Amino acid sequence: MYIRTAIIALLASAAPTARAGGIQVLAAPADGPIGVDGRLDEPDWDQAKPFSGLAQVFPQEGGAPGEATEVRVLRGEKTMYVGVRCLDSRPGGIVRPLGRRDSAPASDNVVVLLGSGADRRSALLFSLTAGGVQSDALVYDDDQVSYDWDGAWDGAVALSDDGWSAEFAIPLALMRDRAAGAATWPFGVVREIARSHEKVATFPLARTGSGMVTRLGTLGGGAASPAGPALVVAPYLAQRVQLRPQFSDPARARPRLADGSGDVGFDLHATVGRLALSATVNPDFGQVEADQVVLNLSTFETFFPEKRPFFTEGADAFQPVGAGRERVPQQLFYSRRVGQEAPILGAAKLVGQVGGLRIALLDGLELGTGQAPGATEDAPDRRIAWSGARPLHLGTADADPLVAPPARNFLAAVARLPVRDGLTLGAQAVSALPLTATCTEAQDAATDGSRPASCDAVGNDAAALDFNAASRDGAWYAYGQVAASRAEGGPPARTLRDGTVLRRGDLGGGAYLRAGKRGGEGLRADLAWTYASPTLELNAAGFQRTQNEQEIGTTVKYARTNAGPFTEIAAVTGGFGRWTTDRRALSRGWGAAIGVDAQLRQPYLKASFRLRYDDPMYDVREIATTGIPLRMPPTEEATLAVSTDTAKPLSATVGAYVGRTVGVAPLEAPPYYGASAGVAVRPHPRLETRLAASYDRNADAVRFLEDDGAGALLFGGLRAPTVSFTVRQLVVLSPRLTFQLYAQLFTAYESWGPFFVARPQGTAPVEPGALIPSARPSAGPDAHSSALVGNAVVRWEYRTGSTFYAVYARTQTEAPLEGGEAPHSLAPRGLGLGPTTDSVLVKWSYRFAR
């Protein structure tokens, strides 16, 4: 992951002062067999003309390399070979720990980039560390990097008395977007020396700009075109045994039932021309690391990253513009929605070029099963069951819910067209469609339990137009999106968190725009605007943090490189303002920040400091679904983050923040603060231990608790400390055989008080002055929680693209309190007595290719 971070930072900030022109590297034909062992000792390598004209990217832009590097390229009928000799005057100082594929530790490394798109804005990235760890990625939108792409290619390294060498064997079938008969390729090589952090490249780069693929040099010499149609099929077999609580009530953690299941399925990849088809049938993602446990005290949904291989590969094609640089406010397609409510029966996606148009299409079907009619938690259905809804799955029926979840189909389509150099126009369409008939009025109104669960299946349709523009040098940019949504399925009307009533068929609109100067020495600035109507609803298929909001913000930065003791230093300031988009146009807050980002030469440290002022103004989501705004008090905050050199055997990242609430009578002004620390230890090239700990003392002056049903609203101050400990252990027997352990212990408690009541008139805002002190409610709202989650994974890639997994996973939460007040302690309690699920998975796949 450290190599990944370094490359992303390099590519995101690198742009040449002018285009690299002419043929930089010449390829020679590969007439004989090439054994990929890293040694470059076949006779064909001697016929390839070496290229050694690399220049420094970091620390001295354009400077002479501290160590010499030679690049050679061979072209075969179906494979391109790249050989790189990395001479080193201190071979004993080469940093070469081992790691897992696509998660390489900080190391000496070589990166090869091959332009893959006719628009010259996308490229494939292949990386080899001096320890032989492979990584690959897709560069899109000129300089955004997605490590979610995976390709089947080969590579090896070899040490020598004067340095090391890397040998890449890249199948031309991976270059699906290249036009047939292309004689030249956009091409570049980057080398990093970990001990000095020196980076050199075959093409000129500038650290203060942006843009990457458009700046690559050229590979000539009659470079071969991609091979014809390719087909890869990877069937899998999986066996799972799970021990889980029989009852959903956490107070009834025992007994536990043993469930067994077997699954078969397959992944398919086919390439025809410049289109690539990927499909998965009955996928199993049991080897994926569990999500981190968090305490979400906000009124917004937590965003979790996608980790499932089918959805991560090629995910960049479905990203909205700007997603590589920020968390965009309106994301039409969020792949975590697929399979969230029911298992995935199958999914397919098509990505590639049609003429000059880049297209991406994804369709996924989730279809679940339920237990036999009459089954209950007290009398579960213990049969070994098979269902036509899941034809490739066989297992104990009580592992399914009592009632089958409604089926839904997800569809996402994206098309983007480069209309000229630096300008791309795009369109998106997304649908989350419940595959059930719309419920009748009688069913919707039923209160006797006869209303089908499928009546609550929510969907939406959405569409968007977008653009992405940049100046020739990449310094100036602008991008934006205009979107519309239509609510589908679900009840006839549902109330959103801010009180907006959303009915079936309601339309909503949204947009965002960001423009400014992001490159060059000295002053940089940008301006951002976001708009979401009250009825914009994307969350059935996408991710939208909130609606009924308009925001305007700006950021100004002054940046310098190689200034005194700093390799980089920047002063940053900015501010924002938000309002509701309904008729009230209420202020939803404003704020400002100022800070400094710096990177020291010696010691090699990165640091960031911020001072922030945030006035939330009227929160329309806190008193949920009522439409009554609550005036929240302002906060002041300072944050600091420092990270050390990740290339060292011991590296660390620490962060801290401290803030306070500005006192507004009768509310208290509680302070809040927190700290986090992460340490990576690599005592041996085959071992890596990462430890992380965090403590957060969350504190709010006022939060909504409940409505008493008689017109009075109850509020209270809230203190909610949390603590988390995480360990990740990696043991690398070889880059293809690894053991990985992940575990997290999380605890939190909530302490409420003092308490207040208010009696609002209609939907008039609740001001602090209207809060009347109140006694503690008889049913105390204090709470305590703790959880232990983790998994252990053995991964063996016994041949390229074919894997074997053995996985153990555990999820454990504390037992509920049996009377009495919740303890105000961060010590875990009742974990051994609470609901616990253990599972063991064995999964085998085999890759067939032609």
Side-chain angles (χ1 to χ4, degrees):
M1 68 169 292
Y2 299 101
I3 291 295
R4 175 183 307 188
T5 302
I7 293 173
I8 289 176
L10 169 66
L11 300 189
S13 64
T17 55
R19 290 185 181 277
I23 293 175
Q24 292 188 337
V25 180
L26 294 175
D31 296 325
I34 303 296
V36 182
D37 55 10
R39 301 189 183 281
L40 311 183
D41 52 3
E42 289 85 1
D44 286 343
W45 286 115
D46 295 330
Q47 305 304 314
K49 182 179 180 181
F51 178 83
S52 57
L54 288 78
Q56 268 196 54
V57 176
F58 183 89
Q60 188 61 47
E61 178 188 328
E67 305 287 353
T69 307
E70 294 181 352
V71 179
R72 291 176 168 85
V73 181
L74 297 173
R75 57 173 175 83
E77 181 180 352
K78 296 184 177 181
T79 306
M80 180 182 295
Y81 301 92
V82 180
V84 183
R85 290 193 64 214
C86 302
L87 303 180
D88 199 312
S89 58
R90 292 175 50 198
I94 296 173
V95 180
R96 50 188 306 268
L98 295 179
R100 183 167 55 87
R101 193 187 195 281
D102 287 326
S103 187
S107 314
D108 284 56
N109 69 91
V110 169
V111 174
V112 172
L113 294 120
L114 283 170
S116 62
D119 59 357
R120 201 178 171 95
R121 292 184 63 84
S122 58
L124 299 183
L125 181 153
F126 307 90
S127 171
L128 278 172
T129 73
V133 182
Q134 292 179 235
S135 298
D136 47 30
L138 178 65
V139 185
Y140 65 99
D141 194 15
D142 204 7
D143 57 12
Q144 301 305 294
V145 182
S146 169
Y147 270 88
D148 299 328
W149 179 81
D150 284 309
W153 59 282
D154 202 4
V157 299
L159 292 179
S160 61
D161 293 338
D162 58 357
W164 65 287
S165 56
E167 192 170 22
F168 299 76
I170 302 170
L172 293 170
L174 294 177
M175 315 297 289
R176 59 179 181 270
D177 287 354
R178 296 298 298 163
T184 61
W185 303 68
F187 177 79
V189 173
V190 181
R191 175 191 177 187
E192 180 178 8
I193 303 172
R195 66 176 180 271
S196 63
H197 302 281
E198 178 182 316
K199 298 181 181 73
V200 295
T202 60
F203 51 104
L205 298 172
R207 290 163 48 196
T208 58
S210 62
M212 184 66 186
V213 181
T214 53
R215 319 304 179 181
L216 291 174
T218 305
L219 173 65
S225 298
L231 177 65
V232 176
V233 180
Y236 83 86
L237 298 173
Q239 176 69 49
R240 177 183 276 103
V241 177
Q242 186 178 71
L243 193 61
R244 62 168 186 86
Q246 177 176 343
F247 300 99
S248 57
D249 182 356
R252 304 176 69 182
R254 303 293 185 274
R256 295 201 293 168
L257 300 179
D259 294 323
S261 64
D263 287 87
V264 297
F266 64 88
D267 295 331
L268 179 146
H269 301 270
T271 302
V272 180
R274 296 162 68 186
L275 294 174
L277 172 68
S278 300
T280 185
V281 174
N282 191 34
D284 185 288
F285 303 112
Q287 74 275 15
V288 174
E289 182 181 285
D291 289 323
Q292 209 169 15
V293 180
V294 296
L295 177 64
N296 185 354
L297 296 172
S298 76
T299 61
F300 307 104
E301 179 186 359
T302 301
F303 182 92
F304 288 105
E306 179 61 87
K307 301 178 182 180
R308 299 170 296 175
F310 174 81
F311 294 101
T312 58
E313 184 177 346
D316 61 284
F318 299 93
Q319 295 298 311
V321 291
R325 303 183 184 279
E326 61 170 345
R327 179 70 51 76
V328 298
Q330 295 154 22
Q331 182 172 333
L332 268 65
F333 181 64
Y334 176 43
S335 60
R336 287 290 298 253
R337 305 291 186 205
V338 187
Q340 189 175 44
E341 303 295 335
I344 300 172
L345 177 62
K349 59 187 172 184
L350 186 69
V351 179
Q353 297 277 147
V354 177
L357 187 69
R358 180 169 175 81
I359 64 170
L361 182 68
L362 184 146
D363 189 86
L365 175 62
E366 58 177 32
L367 193 63
T369 55
Q371 299 181 39
T376 65
E377 288 188 347
D378 289 303
D381 184 358
R382 294 290 291 165
R383 297 174 301 118
I384 301 297
W386 175 89
S387 169
R390 299 183 67 188
L392 300 179
H393 170 84
L394 185 67
T396 49
D398 66 346
D400 296 324
L402 292 173
V403 178
R408 290 194 300 174
N409 189 80
F410 293 83
L411 178 67
V414 181
R416 292 203 165 95
L417 178 68
V419 295
R420 64 174 179 81
D421 188 20
L423 175 62
T424 300
L425 302 180
Q428 304 174 60
V430 173
S431 172
L433 180 65
L435 300 180
T436 55
T438 301
C439 290
T440 65
E441 292 184 9
Q443 289 175 320
D444 282 327
T447 58
D448 59 358
S450 62
R451 183 174 185 270
S454 58
C455 290
D456 294 322
V458 173
N460 78 274
D461 298 322
L465 299 175
D466 60 58
F467 80 97
N468 196 350
S471 60
R472 288 181 63 86
D473 62 0
W476 293 88
Y477 76 98
Y479 60 79
Q481 173 181 284
V482 177
S485 68
R486 184 178 187 274
E488 296 283 358
R494 52 193 172 100
T495 304
L496 303 183
R497 178 114 192 178
D498 71 325
T500 298
V501 176
L502 186 70
R503 297 175 175 83
R504 293 176 188 157
D506 275 356
L507 301 177
Y512 63 86
L513 172 68
R514 182 178 288 269
K517 183 175 184 288
R518 63 189 175 198
E521 292 277 343
L523 193 65
R524 308 175 192 174
D526 62 18
L527 182 68
W529 169 73
T530 301
Y531 174 89
S533 74
T535 53
L536 179 69
E537 178 62 303
L538 305 175
N539 282 327
F543 189 90
Q544 171 191 350
R545 183 173 181 266
T546 187
Q547 35 66 252
N548 193 13
E549 181 175 282
Q550 181 171 214
E551 178 179 341
I552 297 177
T554 185
T555 302
V556 179
K557 176 185 286 189
Y558 185 83
R560 302 293 298 179
T561 58
N562 297 325
F566 302 100
T567 56
E568 296 179 4
I569 186 167
V572 185
T573 187
F576 68 89
R578 302 187 183 111
W579 302 266
T580 63
T581 55
D582 57 19
R583 294 179 181 178
R584 297 180 294 179
L586 287 169
S587 173
R588 288 188 64 171
W590 68 275
I594 188 170
V596 176
D597 299 324
Q599 180 174 303
L600 280 170
R601 296 179 189 273
Q602 293 295 334
Y604 192 80
L605 292 175
K606 292 183 179 180
S608 178
F609 175 74
R610 293 288 187 276
L611 290 173
R612 294 186 176 89
Y613 179 85
D614 185 8
D615 187 348
M617 295 298 291
Y618 292 100
D619 191 329
V620 296
R621 297 171 61 88
E622 177 64 25
I623 310 175
T625 72
T626 64
I628 301 173
L630 174 63
R631 178 63 167 94
M632 305 291 282
T635 59
E636 299 169 342
E637 182 179 290
T639 63
L640 175 67
V642 178
S643 59
T644 67
D645 188 352
T646 59
K648 302 298 184 183
L650 176 64
S651 61
T653 300
V654 296
Y657 66 92
V658 59
R660 74 180 187 95
T661 303
V662 178
V664 179
L667 302 176
E668 294 183 344
Y672 61 94
Y673 47 85
S676 62
V679 177
V681 184
R682 291 174 292 280
H684 186 276
R686 297 183 184 273
L687 299 176
E688 179 184 88
T689 303
R690 286 189 282 152
L691 306 173
S694 65
Y695 170 78
D696 294 280
R697 187 187 185 278
N698 304 290
D700 291 293
V702 60
R703 298 297 299 268
F704 173 66
L705 267 170
E706 62 184 16
D707 185 340
D708 71 354
L713 304 181
L714 179 64
F715 300 86
L718 173 63
R719 290 163 179 79
T722 68
V723 64
S724 173
F725 297 97
T726 303
V727 59
R728 288 179 170 88
Q729 178 64 56
L730 179 66
V731 180
V732 184
L733 302 177
S734 75
R736 296 194 175 195
L737 178 58
T738 59
F739 168 79
Q740 188 171 8
L741 171 70
Y742 164 77
Q744 181 194 8
L745 175 63
F746 178 89
T747 62
Y749 71 84
E750 298 178 23
S751 174
W752 287 86
F755 297 92
F756 308 91
V757 294
R759 295 183 178 275
Q761 300 298 314
T763 57
V766 175
E767 302 285 350
L771 298 174
I772 302 171
S774 174
R776 183 181 183 86
S778 56
D782 291 3
H784 189 281
S785 62
S786 56
L788 175 66
V789 298
N791 67 350
V793 181
V794 174
R795 180 186 186 274
W796 178 29
E797 188 176 2
Y798 56 91
R799 65 190 299 269
T800 301
S802 301
T803 54
F804 171 84
Y805 288 98
V807 183
Y808 167 73
R810 183 178 181 88
T811 301
Q812 191 172 352
T813 56
E814 70 177 42
L817 289 166
E818 296 182 0
E821 291 292 329
H824 294 172
S825 167
L826 288 174
R829 55 158 300 280
L831 272 179
L833 302 175
T836 302
T837 299
D838 296 282
S839 62
V840 175
L841 168 72
V842 176
K843 181 180 178 181
W844 170 87
S845 71
Y846 189 88
R847 179 178 181 271
F848 296 92
R850 72 170 184 84

